[in-house]
Amino acid sequence: MSDLYEKAKPLAGKVMSFARDNLLVNMRFLDVALSALEPEAERESASFACNGAKIFYDPVFLLKKYKEEPAFALRMYLHILFHMIFYHSFQFDKLDGEIWSLSADIATEAAILELEIPGASLLRDEAAKRKLRVMREDIGVLTAERIYRYFKNFGISAGERGELLRLFFMDSHRLWKPAEEITITKEQWKKLSERVRADLKSFSAKKSKSESMEQSLLEAVKDRYNYKELLQKFMVMNEDMQINDEEFDYIYYTYGLSRYGNMPLVEPLEYRDNKKVREFVIAIDTSASCRGELVKSFLRRTYGMLCAKDSFFSKMNVHIIQCDHEVQKDTKITCRDELEYFLSAEKITGFGSTDFRPVFTYVDELLRKGEFENLKGLLYFTDGYGVYPKAMPPYDVMFVFPDNGDTGPEVPPWAVKVLLDDEGLD
């Protein structure tokens, strides 16, 4: 077997080089991304895989597939490259791996088939195109994120999964799991994705366009945040009356008691600084375009994140402000019971046009009245289409938008923008 590997290796290397050169000729906008991946032969793996820096291929297996279909090498090369520029590998550990892998393969092949690249056709393509037409009727633009949400919401049978694998599987995703050392980081791949997206716009107008590719690139270059981690920005240091076990040595303490009676050598530290939510504002856009279950879902899940691991003080000062073109209602929350009551019984009021400025003016007035001792920040849940204040407030601001498949509205440079879909909120 080793002799066969050594014989196949030089020829397989030429096949990979030819595939790479072919892509550079036909898709010049991929030049920078192509240069980031280096092919490397791998003994007896019978597969193709990528770790973000190298494409590992089995020379014997590659030549076998190349003999069956000469376009296979080019197609495989492009398939793996698209996975990387679409950011597919860097979300693998955050989602259901099996469903995400399948969704990523379908989205990648959808983008390739729409581009109609010369010399890249496979025998299965006609059947794959028919399947994709059916999927578009249910899902719309076929990005991995949309396909994944569809499968998670509606499920997928074993038979359907088998058919989709037969039509869209190309490479192993065994190296997608986070590695201790990554030659090319996800931030670097994001920059490459942004470059490809920019170059794609200026690519020859005579070439075929791929809506799936454009949307997948849009998903790749989006700023992604862990919502729970971002909420840490709204936590403040405050003294919490607990013994700090990390700074207290019980050996000296008990020795003093035993040696000198009621005289411990070291007094326990009664106080410990904990980061817990104490004072902040949640503003809710109650305009006609942002209401109903969307608002309730945001509040429920935000509440769930804040309540996790005892995030609240026994006393807190949280204002939930409802506003459309003017402030409709301000509900002050001082304990967990009040927050739970608000979520279960409060009705959302408003539904006019959207203007963000009244909330900031109102909060400024609360600050002048001494309502807050140390206001850390303001969360503003909105669809984003409204009038922003020009001046930067003296506290952190996070605008949270529902993810509608685009980059979302622009926000002032002093604010943090977060796009949240169902998966992000979960």
Side-chain angles (χ1 to χ4, degrees), residues 4-20 37-51 53-66 72-74 76-77 80 170-172 174-175:
L4 185 59
Y5 169 82
E6 294 298 336
K7 291 179 180 178
K9 188 176 178 181
L11 182 57
K14 291 181 180 179
V15 170
M16 290 293 287
S17 295
F18 176 77
R20 180 193 185 103
L37 290 180
E38 178 185 349
E40 183 169 308
E42 185 178 51
R43 188 183 299 271
E44 300 177 14
S45 64
S47 66
F48 307 91
C50 181
N51 66 353
K54 294 182 178 181
I55 296 178
F56 296 96
Y57 65 96
D58 182 334
V60 178
F61 186 64
L62 173 62
L63 292 180
K64 178 185 176 184
K65 301 295 291 185
Y66 181 76
F72 179 83
L74 185 151
M76 179 273 298
Y77 212 127
I80 289 177
M170 286 293 290
D171 63 320
S172 169
R174 56 187 169 85
L175 301 178

Side-chain angles (χ1 to χ4, degrees), residues 340-355:
E340 290 177 345
Y341 177 80
F342 177 89
L343 292 171
S344 62
E346 188 69 27
K347 292 184 178 180
I348 306 299
T349 59
F351 311 129
S353 59
T354 302
D355 190 338

Side-chain angles (χ1 to χ4, degrees), residues 118-158:
S121 298
L122 300 178
L123 295 175
R124 71 186 191 187
D125 284 355
E126 288 305 316
K129 288 178 181 179
R130 290 194 293 271
K131 188 66 178 178
L132 291 173
R133 281 196 291 269
V134 174
M135 295 184 70
R136 285 190 184 92
E137 293 178 0
D138 295 325
I139 302 174
V141 180
L142 296 176
T143 65
E145 290 76 11
R146 289 172 177 264
I147 298 169
Y148 178 85
R149 287 198 292 270
Y150 180 82
F151 286 155
K152 290 291 287 184
N153 289 334
F154 298 100
I156 179 173
S157 66

Side-chain angles (χ1 to χ4, degrees), residues 84-360:
M84 301 310 300
I85 66 173
F86 292 164
Y87 224 63
H88 291 161
S89 65
F90 297 106
Q91 301 189 66
F92 184 81
D93 61 315
K94 303 178 182 68
L95 305 170
D96 183 316
E98 190 173 343
I99 296 178
W100 177 250
S101 286
L102 179 59
S103 302
D105 280 336
I106 295 170
T108 297
E109 288 296 293
I112 292 172
L113 290 173
E114 287 178 12
L115 286 170
E116 299 179 353
I117 303 162
S121 298
L122 300 178
L123 295 175
R124 71 186 191 187
D125 284 355
E126 288 305 316
K129 288 178 181 179
R130 290 194 293 271
K131 188 66 178 178
L132 291 173
R133 281 196 291 269
V134 174
M135 295 184 70
R136 285 190 184 92
E137 293 178 0
D138 295 325
I139 302 174
V141 180
L142 296 176
T143 65
E145 290 76 11
R146 289 172 177 264
I147 298 169
Y148 178 85
R149 287 198 292 270
Y150 180 82
F151 286 155
K152 290 291 287 184
N153 289 334
F154 298 100
I156 179 173
S157 66
E160 178 74 1
R161 187 192 302 272
E163 181 187 6
L164 292 172
L165 287 172
R166 178 179 60 83
L167 293 175
F168 302 107
F169 174 81
M170 286 293 290
D171 63 320
S172 169
H173 301 162
R174 56 187 169 85
L175 301 178
W176 280 12
K177 296 180 181 179
E180 293 182 1
E181 295 184 5
I182 301 177
T183 305
I184 302 180
T185 65
K186 61 182 180 181
E187 288 77 17
Q188 290 171 311
W189 268 112
K190 183 178 179 181
K191 291 180 180 178
L192 290 173
S193 299
E194 291 171 344
R195 167 68 185 276
V196 170
R197 183 168 177 248
D199 290 347
L200 181 63
K201 292 181 180 179
S202 59
F203 194 53
S204 175
K206 296 180 180 179
K207 299 290 184 180
S208 300
K209 295 299 178 81
S210 172
E211 186 179 10
S212 295
M213 181 172 186
E214 291 173 357
Q215 288 297 318
S216 293
L217 283 169
L218 184 61
E219 290 285 351
V221 301
K222 278 182 184 177
D223 289 327
R224 286 182 169 80
Y225 300 96
N226 183 309
Y227 186 40
K228 188 179 293 186
E229 291 178 0
L230 278 175
L231 285 181
Q232 306 302 315
K233 290 174 64 67
F234 295 87
M235 291 186 177
V236 296
M237 293 296 294
N238 201 75
E239 212 170 47
D240 190 15
M241 294 190 62
Q242 296 181 24
I243 292 178
N244 189 345
D245 295 322
E246 295 177 358
E247 299 183 13
F248 175 63
D249 193 330
Y250 280 96
I251 295 177
Y252 288 103
Y253 181 78
T254 55
Y255 175 76
L257 290 178
S258 63
R259 182 71 175 81
Y260 303 108
N262 291 328
M263 186 181 296
L265 291 182
V266 180
E267 286 288 344
L269 298 176
E270 294 181 352
Y271 300 100
R272 179 174 65 186
D273 282 342
N274 285 333
K275 283 188 176 182
K276 292 185 178 180
V277 177
R278 189 182 184 189
E279 292 188 336
F280 68 103
V281 173
I282 297 178
I284 304 170
D285 177 5
T286 59
S287 64
S289 58
C290 188
R291 57 176 173 171
E293 286 302 318
L294 196 62
V295 172
K296 292 180 181 178
S297 177
F298 166 74
L299 288 173
R300 281 195 300 268
R301 291 171 179 175
T302 300
Y303 164 70
M305 292 174 185
L306 293 174
C307 287
K309 298 182 180 179
D310 194 26
S311 294
F312 285 94
F313 282 101
S314 56
K315 293 183 179 180
M316 59 183 177
N317 182 18
V318 178
H319 284 252
I320 301 179
I321 301 173
Q322 301 178 46
C323 181
D324 44 27
H325 62 281
E326 61 183 9
V327 173
Q328 297 290 343
K329 190 172 185 181
D330 176 16
T331 304
K332 183 175 179 177
I333 305 295
T334 60
C335 64
R336 183 174 298 190
D337 289 341
E338 290 178 359
L339 184 57
E340 290 177 345
Y341 177 80
F342 177 89
L343 292 171
S344 62
E346 188 69 27
K347 292 184 178 180
I348 306 299
T349 59
F351 311 129
S353 59
T354 302
D355 190 338
F356 303 129
R357 294 171 297 180
V359 167
F360 290 89

Side-chain angles (χ1 to χ4, degrees), residues 69-83:
E69 292 192 83
F72 179 83
L74 185 151
R75 183 66 163 269
M76 179 273 298
Y77 212 127
L78 189 60
H79 182 100
I80 289 177
L81 181 65
F82 275 19
H83 274 320

